[in-house]
Amino acid sequence: MEDGIANFKDPKVCGVYGLVTALPDGTFWDKFFLTIWNFTYRLIYPEKRVHTKTYTGLLGFTNGIILKELWDKHKFDLDYGAGGEEAVWADYWFKKDYIVIQDINFSVKHSHHLGLIGWIKQLMEWRSLKKPKLFRPLKFRKSLTHTEIPSKAAS
């Protein structure tokens, strides 16, 4: 957590996120795709990467942090309930000259427990998040956190 929070010493930073590696109990395909992505990322980009333009996956909230005072001024667009709300939020702040830092030292372990077909469907789903979509259970997801509509009691 310290690695992520340290980036906020720069007053232009509105958010920080890192890479995701597969959990030890993740599937072969979780480990395959995330290992290739992380290896490629580390070859191409520096330890800390500054973002000033939005894209799907920016500030991915598997492990993202934002400034509460900025969130209080501009909350997430709930029309993006299926995902992508963090990139839309960051885009709002980019237009006000803020930046997002991707810091490889602020990385977490996370798995979707998907097979090859599930990963292909997941990648297609992520590509579709450029436009607002309300949350809906995804049949190819196996984790209960991804298959059930969140209850109001949990929020």
Side-chain angles (χ1 to χ4, degrees):
M1 190 65 111
E2 278 181 44
D3 290 316
I5 292 171
N7 290 287
F8 289 102
K9 290 176 185 168
D10 180 342
K12 291 309 239 172
V13 174
C14 68
V16 178
Y17 72 116
L19 301 178
V20 177
T21 57
L23 288 165
D25 69 342
T27 65
F28 167 82
W29 293 105
D30 286 341
K31 294 172 185 172
F32 177 81
F33 284 113
L34 292 173
T35 299
I36 286 176
W37 167 250
N38 288 330
F39 178 77
T40 304
Y41 184 92
R42 289 170 190 263
L43 281 176
I44 297 171
Y45 298 111
E47 189 173 295
K48 291 186 182 189
R49 185 174 170 203
V50 175
H51 293 278
T52 58
K53 294 182 180 166
T54 194
Y55 64 90
T56 301
L58 175 78
L59 199 55
F61 274 170
T62 304
N63 66 324
I65 50 178
I66 60 174
L67 289 174
K68 184 178 184 320
E69 59 263 27
L70 295 181
W71 185 77
D72 284 340
K73 291 177 184 175
H74 182 77
K75 300 211 182 333
F76 296 137
D77 181 344
L78 297 180
D79 288 342
Y80 284 85
E85 69 282 359
E86 61 274 84
V88 174
W89 182 89
D91 190 52
Y92 174 88
W93 292 106
F94 288 157
K95 292 172 183 163
K96 298 184 180 313
D97 294 324
Y98 282 86
I99 62 174
V100 168
I101 301 291
Q102 188 171 15
D103 184 344
I104 64 171
N105 295 315
F106 183 60
S107 296
V108 297
K109 294 183 184 285
H110 174 77
S111 291
H112 289 278
H113 302 284
L114 299 174
L116 178 58
I117 301 300
W119 263 96
I120 292 168
K121 289 178 180 180
Q122 180 62 71
L123 292 169
M124 291 175 11
E125 176 67 19
W126 283 333
R127 288 184 60 131
S128 76
L129 296 177
K130 292 177 183 166
K131 294 181 180 170
K133 283 181 11 180
L134 295 175
F135 178 83
R136 72 195 190 301
L138 302 173
K139 293 180 182 176
F140 62 88
R141 288 279 189 91
K142 297 176 183 179
S143 168
L144 287 180
T145 60
H146 292 93
T147 57
E148 296 178 348
I149 296 175
S151 70
K152 290 190 180 197
S155 47

